[in-house]
């Protein structure tokens, strides 16, 4: 059974150094490497990329595809499901060695139906929905910020890049210890413009636009029934409602708890929704239930 390694970077200014480190630490035996040409965009569907196509052509049933992080292969929710379908068709395993998906078997299938496990679909869709919610909120905040700036007479748009005549001075100042933020203030440009001017002097991990935090991994928490009852009648966004609706009911004496699986950010959002249970007109049992849920949520990674 062969070990097939797939690597990709988005620009010719990036390197595969970080991927090489992760894959080397994994101790893959006799790897056969397929590396895309530099600049292969993540927007291009994986099944349309030349080297990944070569990998699928070379592969035989029982082989394993290795990648350092999920985003080296796919970005969007549908891309993930498409790739998993092809890997299942060709009887290939997928091993992700770093990031949120590294602990999951994304190729797991139901032993009788042969379909992708519903829990795998749920985790993939939840991560995608959380990412979409974050992008929507960022767009709303950006729009509100632009309107506020316009009201003050400021004009939006991209800040100017470093002039060619100033590039040498910027690079010299950076080498001498001047920070990127200070250089941006000195020249009236964005920090991104300064990073572009000194790109060749930056470490690989700073120059890479793809070295971003991995998405959060879904966590299962028991939500007291009184909290769940309150939230079911509250106004929730689609991600929160989905997490609540797909929770598993666990009976406990005369009451119950709802076993909810969601990323930590969604648990924090649900906790914030039931803030009113801390005071009147909530009854003592509701206040106690909310404190129990708060104690469980507080063990998760704090919200940024």
């Amino acid at each position: 059974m062969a070990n097939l390694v797939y690597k990709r970077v988005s620009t010719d200014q990036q390197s595969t150094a970080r991927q090489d480190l992760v894959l080397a630490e994994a101790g893959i035996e006799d790897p056969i490497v397929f590396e895309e040409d530099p600049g292969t965009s993540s927007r291009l569907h994986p099944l349309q990329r030349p080297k990944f196509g070569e990998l699928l052509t070379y592969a035989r049933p029982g082989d394993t595809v290795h990648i350092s992080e999920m985003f080296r292969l796919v970005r969007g929710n549908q891309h993930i499901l498409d790739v998993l379908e092809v890997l299942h068709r060709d009887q290939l395993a997928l091993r992700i060695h770093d990031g949120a998906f590294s602990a999951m078997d994304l190729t797991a299938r139901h032993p009788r139906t042969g379909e992708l496990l519903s829990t795998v679909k749920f985790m993939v869709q939840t991560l995608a929905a959380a990412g979409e919610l974050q992008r929507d909120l960022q767009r709303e905040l950006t729009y509100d910020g632009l309107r506020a700036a316009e009201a003050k007479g400021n004009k939006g748009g991209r800040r100017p890049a470093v002039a060619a005549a100033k590039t040498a001075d910027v690079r010299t100042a950076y080498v001498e210890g001047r920070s990127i933020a200070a250089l941006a203030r000195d020249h009236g440009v964005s920090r991104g413009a300064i990073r572009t001017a000194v790109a060749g002097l930056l470490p690989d991990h700073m120059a890479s636009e793809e070295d971003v935090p991995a998405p959060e991994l879904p966590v299962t928490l028991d939500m007291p029934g009184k909290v769940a009852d309150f939230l079911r009648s509250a106004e929730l966004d689609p991600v929160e409602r989905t997490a609540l609706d797909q929770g598993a009911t666990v009976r406990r004496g005369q009451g119950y708890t709802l076993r909810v699986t969601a990323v930590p950010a969604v648990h924090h959002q649900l906790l914030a929704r039931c803030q009113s249970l801390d005071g009147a007109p909530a009854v003592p049992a509701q206040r106690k239930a909310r404190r129990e849920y708060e104690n469980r949520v507080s063990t998760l990674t704090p919200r940024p």
Side-chain angles (χ1 to χ4, degrees), residues 1-17:
M1 303 302 178
N3 290 309
L4 313 178
V5 172
Y6 178 76
K7 297 191 290 185
R8 181 190 65 83
V9 293
S10 292
T11 74
D12 55 10
Q13 294 182 348
Q14 298 171 354
S15 76
T16 60

Side-chain angles (χ1 to χ4, degrees), residues 163-269:
K166 297 288 186 180
T167 299
D169 293 338
V170 168
R171 291 172 67 85
T172 299
Y174 179 78
V175 170
E176 292 174 350
R178 191 75 170 154
S179 71
I180 288 177
L183 287 168
R185 290 193 299 271
D186 293 346
H187 294 273
V189 297
S190 67
R191 297 184 185 187
I194 298 296
R195 289 191 184 95
T196 299
V198 300
L201 307 175
L202 290 171
D204 287 341
H205 73 276
M206 292 182 63
S208 173
E209 67 179 10
E210 291 190 335
D211 288 333
V212 297
E216 295 180 299
L217 188 67
V219 177
T220 300
L221 290 182
D222 284 349
M223 177 186 292
K226 293 188 182 299
V227 173
D229 292 340
F230 173 82
L231 289 173
R232 284 195 174 102
S233 62
E235 184 176 345
L236 306 178
D237 66 33
V239 176
E240 297 167 346
R241 180 66 63 186
T242 297
L244 206 64
D245 290 345
Q246 297 191 2
T249 299
V250 180
R251 293 293 172 185
R252 300 187 182 280
Q254 296 182 345
Y256 77 98
T257 61
L258 189 67
R259 191 153 290 166
V260 178
T261 300
V263 295
V266 173
H267 283 297
H268 283 286
Q269 290 169 209

Side-chain angles (χ1 to χ4, degrees), residues 39-289:
T40 303
S41 172
S42 60
R43 294 187 178 91
L44 182 63
H45 197 292
L47 300 179
Q48 298 175 346
R49 296 179 195 154
K51 288 299 180 180
F52 191 64
E54 288 183 20
L55 182 151
L56 293 176
T57 301
Y58 181 91
R60 295 295 179 267
D63 290 351
T64 300
V65 179
H66 297 265
I67 53 177
S68 57
E69 302 97 355
M70 175 60 84
F71 63 75
R72 299 297 178 184
L73 179 58
V74 295
R75 286 283 189 176
N77 180 27
Q78 191 56 51
H79 284 192
I80 298 175
L81 297 178
D82 290 345
V83 169
L84 292 181
E85 188 62 37
V86 170
L87 294 179
H88 174 66
R89 180 200 68 193
D90 295 347
Q91 301 178 46
L92 304 176
L94 174 64
R95 182 70 194 278
I96 304 165
H97 293 279
D98 196 19
F101 290 96
S102 60
M104 304 180 194
D105 181 5
L106 296 182
T107 55
R109 299 275 169 164
H110 193 281
R112 289 186 296 276
T113 66
E115 295 181 352
L116 193 66
L117 287 180
S118 58
T119 51
V120 173
K121 284 186 178 179
F122 172 72
M123 286 186 289
V124 169
Q125 291 165 352
T126 299
L127 288 170
E132 184 176 354
L133 173 63
Q134 182 181 22
R135 289 192 296 271
D136 288 344
L137 291 174
Q138 288 174 337
R139 281 195 294 267
E140 292 174 6
L141 292 172
T142 299
Y143 177 72
D144 291 342
L146 288 173
R147 290 189 61 188
E150 289 174 358
K152 295 180 180 180
N154 297 327
K155 185 178 180 181
R158 180 177 295 180
R159 297 182 68 182
V162 176
K166 297 288 186 180
T167 299
D169 293 338
V170 168
R171 291 172 67 85
T172 299
Y174 179 78
V175 170
E176 292 174 350
R178 191 75 170 154
S179 71
I180 288 177
L183 287 168
R185 290 193 299 271
D186 293 346
H187 294 273
V189 297
S190 67
R191 297 184 185 187
I194 298 296
R195 289 191 184 95
T196 299
V198 300
L201 307 175
L202 290 171
D204 287 341
H205 73 276
M206 292 182 63
S208 173
E209 67 179 10
E210 291 190 335
D211 288 333
V212 297
E216 295 180 299
L217 188 67
V219 177
T220 300
L221 290 182
D222 284 349
M223 177 186 292
K226 293 188 182 299
V227 173
D229 292 340
F230 173 82
L231 289 173
R232 284 195 174 102
S233 62
E235 184 176 345
L236 306 178
D237 66 33
V239 176
E240 297 167 346
R241 180 66 63 186
T242 297
L244 206 64
D245 290 345
Q246 297 191 2
T249 299
V250 180
R251 293 293 172 185
R252 300 187 182 280
Q254 296 182 345
Y256 77 98
T257 61
L258 189 67
R259 191 153 290 166
V260 178
T261 300
V263 295
V266 173
H267 283 297
H268 283 286
Q269 290 169 209
L270 291 170
L271 176 64
R273 298 284 191 188
C274 57
Q275 181 68 38
S276 60
L277 292 181
D278 274 346
V283 299
Q286 289 177 313
R287 290 197 289 272
K288 180 181 178 181

